[in-house]
């Protein structure tokens, strides 16, 4: 996705409840080796960010003034 000329990656899932879902969603970024922001968006209310990949609740993501 590009917003105001900036590039970012967005992976969307319903919930990150089971461990296999967490692994699947975070592993989707394994082959991407650049430094653009990477997000996983879900309905979860707790932050599960790791390895430079930011996890956000969908409401917070959509209301954020910027996604850097």
């Amino acid at each position: 996705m590009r917003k105001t000329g900036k590039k970012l990656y967005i992976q969307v899932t319903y919930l990150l409840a089971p461990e296999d879902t967490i692994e699947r969603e975070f592993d989707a970024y394994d082959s991407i080796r650049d430094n653009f922001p990477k997000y996983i968006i879900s309905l979860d209310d707790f932050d599960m960010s790791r390895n430079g990949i930011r996890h956000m609740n969908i409401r917070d993501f959509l209301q954020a003034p910027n996604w850097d």
Side-chain angles (χ1 to χ4, degrees):
M1 173 178 209
R2 290 182 186 264
K3 181 179 179 183
T4 64
K6 296 180 182 180
K7 182 177 181 179
L8 64 128
Y9 298 97
I10 302 170
Q11 183 78 6
V12 180
T13 188
Y14 176 58
L15 292 171
L16 288 174
E19 186 64 33
D20 61 328
T21 302
I22 295 169
E23 294 302 319
R24 180 186 67 233
E25 300 302 326
F26 280 90
D27 289 352
Y29 290 123
D30 282 350
S31 63
I32 301 172
R33 299 290 178 200
D34 59 31
N35 291 322
F36 292 109
K38 297 166 184 72
Y39 289 89
I40 295 178
I41 308 303
S42 74
L43 288 175
D44 296 293
D45 287 324
F46 49 93
D47 187 355
M48 297 179 65
S49 300
R50 63 181 183 187
N51 300 327
I53 301 168
R54 186 149 182 224
H55 171 246
M56 290 182 77
N57 175 277
I58 185 68
R59 292 177 302 275
D60 297 335
F61 181 79
L62 292 174
Q63 293 176 0
N66 60 36
W67 300 316
D68 295 358

